[in-house]
Amino acid sequence: MSEKIRLALVGCGGMAGAHLEAYGEIKRKGLDFFDIVGVCDPAEDRAREFARRIAGFQASPAATVYSSLEEMLSKERLHAVDTGSPHHLHHVIACTCLEAGLDVLVEKPLGVTVRAGWKMVRTAERTGRILATAEQVRRWIGPRTVAWAIRHGELSGRPRFFLAHSCHGPKEPQVEVEVKSPTWRQDKLQGGGGMIIDGGVHYADFLITCYGEPDTLFATCGNFNRSYVTRPDGSRLLLDCPDTAIGHLRFKNGVAGTWVWTGASPGRPTSFTVHYGDEGSVYAEGGYPMMPEFHRRDRSVLPAEDLRRQYLASLSEDERARLFPPQLFPDPQSLRGDHGVELEVHDFLCCVRDRRRPEVDGLDGLKAQAVSEAYLESSYLNRSVSVEEVLSGKVRAYQEEIDGRWGL
Ligand SMILES: NC(=O)c1ccc[n+]([C@@H]2O[C@H](COP(=O)([O-])OP(=O)(O)OC[C@H]3O[C@@H](n4cnc5c(N)ncnc54)[C@H](O)[C@@H]3O)[C@@H](O)[C@H]2O)c1
């Protein structure tokens, strides 16, 4: 592509703001092969605020503000769209843009259900456009180091099993939690199923990078906080999306583990991940493994900085340039915090420019989502499910109501 990529942002909410910052950083680092020419949100004041922020790092052209996607597509000459909307609109916005001949980056989870995800994947295949899932967690240097340490047999030996526990909150003093201002996230039909879909897909995607194809899952999900909203008549409506997901997940390579994710663990929070192999374990504090260390059989410890150094030294020049482009991050050893969004939007821009496959395409996003959906389906059906039967759509009892609502 010889001209600059003409990009639009559709949905100007919280996460789109992080994307906006990342595009600004990329420009500030001198990579000026794209312009954000349009911003679109039915809440026009948000789109206007985005246009103002864009002007801070892109002197011209100014991004035009739209409150309707259709109007933007009819007036604006575009190559690509980056969209972060409520989940039930992902397939609507993405398919409209793909049909209009644009490449699309969609925030995770790919769709509000598996059927919504397939609709997007098939539309991308038919139109020949790029569909990428915005997935930053696997791109952080911590998770990349863990995945390498697990796969690097000389260090950790044959993988055995894993534990991933992220247990926080609640902070409210009362046992039953009133949600005073519910958003689309608390609505099963718009959000798709709460935190296991919303944040869980990050972890599912990361586990896939560690162990390959998932096999079967048995899970219990629940609304342990008994969160509710108060109806206008004063009665309580219990929220139908879980705050807790407890699952036993087995991969096709035979490795199994428990993955627990909850916002309903009163008292002491516990948050860690550990992956055991024949020769030791890769351990990290926190919900995501940002600073993993390696514990050998003899109990000696390879500290996080050293493990990271070994990982980086193991990369070929090409791998290093692909995973941590030096124009963005000349010193990956020093990386902290969220550099994943910058990497993910940079990857998308390069795919649009070079006509190559994104690291996490639509189908990859859908495969990770199928693991999260399998949690909900297994709990709903009270039996183990295979991730394949969820991905194929054979099992969709929990999702059926959502599919029905959106005509999927
Ligand atoms: N990767 C991450 O770490 C991360 C973190 C938070 C959210 N997300 C994802 O980002 C997406 C958005 O979440 P959020 O927290 O930013 O939500 P949000 O509610 O803050 O923003 C959603 C925006 O979409 C806009 N919108 C609604 N209908 C629209 C339409 N028809 N066309 C265009 N825009 C429309 C809303 O007005 C709002 O500004 C979700 O997919 C969510 O899962 C990802």
Side-chain angles (χ1 to χ4, degrees):
M1 178 181 265
S2 53
E3 73 171 313
K4 277 184 173 184
I5 297 166
R6 295 175 63 82
L7 177 73
L9 306 184
V10 178
C12 302
M15 193 58 201
H19 285 224
L20 183 62
E21 284 303 314
Y23 288 117
E25 271 305 298
I26 293 170
K27 283 229 180 208
R28 280 189 277 272
K29 288 174 181 170
L31 301 182
D32 197 19
F33 60 104
F34 68 97
D35 284 321
I36 306 177
V37 296
V39 282
C40 174
D41 196 306
E44 209 176 303
D45 53 329
R46 293 187 185 183
R48 235 177 282 118
E49 173 58 14
F50 265 42
R52 191 192 64 73
R53 286 167 64 185
I54 290 165
F57 60 80
Q58 178 181 292
S60 87
T64 308
V65 172
Y66 295 93
S67 57
S68 140
L69 177 61
E70 286 67 27
E71 189 193 350
M72 182 174 83
L73 294 180
S74 69
K75 291 192 175 158
E76 207 64 59
R77 195 170 63 79
L78 295 170
H79 298 115
V81 153
D82 174 342
T83 178
S85 71
H87 299 165
H88 67 293
L89 294 171
H90 284 195
H91 66 282
V92 180
I93 293 170
C95 291
T96 304
C97 294
L98 290 165
E99 296 285 3
L102 308 182
D103 298 321
V104 180
L105 172 66
V106 185
E107 254 306 334
K108 49 55 40 183
L110 184 68
V112 69
T113 59
V114 166
R115 279 196 174 191
W118 275 120
K119 187 168 181 174
M120 297 154 81
V121 169
R122 292 200 174 113
T123 305
E125 280 169 3
R126 182 169 47 73
T127 56
R129 306 317 301 177
I130 293 167
L131 175 65
T133 308
E135 176 49 69
Q136 82 271 37
V137 167
R138 65 153 75 184
R139 299 177 201 263
W140 292 333
I141 191 161
R144 290 261 196 232
T145 305
V146 174
W148 165 78
I150 291 168
R151 291 193 313 254
H152 182 51
E154 270 173 50
L155 180 72
S156 52
R158 204 166 66 173
R160 292 188 171 185
F161 66 98
F162 67 88
L163 308 172
H165 287 201
S166 181
C167 306
H168 300 276
K171 295 197 183 86
E172 291 80 0
Q174 68 278 21
V175 172
E176 300 187 345
V177 176
E178 179 176 12
V179 180
K180 291 246 165 57
S181 313
T183 66
W184 58 266
R185 279 196 158 78
Q186 282 89 29
D187 176 9
K188 175 184 173 185
L189 299 179
Q190 296 182 74
M195 50 181 296
I196 187 64
I197 292 292
D198 204 321
V201 288
H202 289 305
Y203 216 87
D205 177 74
F206 165 57
L207 286 173
I208 289 170
T209 69
C210 296
Y211 297 115
E213 280 207 43
D215 188 359
T216 51
L217 180 81
F218 184 71
T220 299
C221 298
N223 174 1
F224 289 117
N225 285 331
R226 302 196 279 285
S227 301
Y228 65 92
V229 291
T230 305
R231 293 194 186 94
D233 66 5
S235 63
R236 286 183 177 190
L237 175 67
L238 265 189
L239 293 181
D240 189 13
C241 40
D243 53 31
T244 300
I246 305 160
H248 174 92
L249 172 60
R250 194 168 59 218
F251 284 81
K252 287 192 173 159
N253 67 357
V255 173
T258 60
W259 174 25
V260 177
W261 185 299
T262 179
S265 49
R268 192 184 193 289
T270 48
S271 219
F272 68 93
T273 59
V274 58
H275 299 262
Y276 294 101
D278 282 352
E279 302 300 334
S281 45
V282 194
Y283 176 84
E285 297 283 336
Y288 295 117
M290 302 306 270
M291 292 298 281
E293 52 197 32
F294 188 70
H295 293 239
R296 302 184 187 90
R297 286 187 81 93
D298 64 6
R299 306 287 169 90
S300 64
V301 179
L302 186 61
E305 294 289 351
D306 294 346
L307 184 63
R308 173 181 289 202
R309 203 165 285 115
Q310 280 198 16
Y311 161 58
L312 288 171
S314 79
L315 298 176
S316 68
E317 248 176 65
D318 281 357
E319 286 169 328
R320 199 166 162 142
R322 180 170 54 83
L323 300 175
F324 307 103
Q327 316 92 303
L328 297 182
F329 301 112
D331 177 19
Q333 177 71 26
S334 65
L335 282 173
R336 301 286 183 276
D338 188 358
H339 45 279
V341 176
E342 202 173 318
L343 286 167
E344 105 198 337
V345 300
H346 179 260
D347 185 35
F348 176 62
L349 291 169
C350 292
C351 292
V352 173
R353 182 191 58 193
D354 305 337
R355 308 313 299 162
R356 67 163 170 80
R357 185 189 180 283
E359 178 177 339
V360 189
D361 69 7
L363 189 54
D364 293 324
L366 185 54
K367 284 180 177 174
Q369 183 185 338
V371 177
S372 290
E373 302 282 6
Y375 265 75
L376 295 165
E377 297 295 348
S378 167
S379 182
Y380 189 86
L381 296 169
N382 194 24
R383 69 163 172 87
S384 70
V385 297
S386 78
V387 176
E388 237 158 54
E389 62 187 350
V390 175
L391 182 62
S392 71
K394 214 169 114 197
V395 167
R396 62 179 197 99
Y398 179 87
Q399 300 162 77
E400 204 169 350
E401 183 189 4
I402 311 172
D403 286 336
R405 172 64 184 85
W406 305 116
L408 289 160

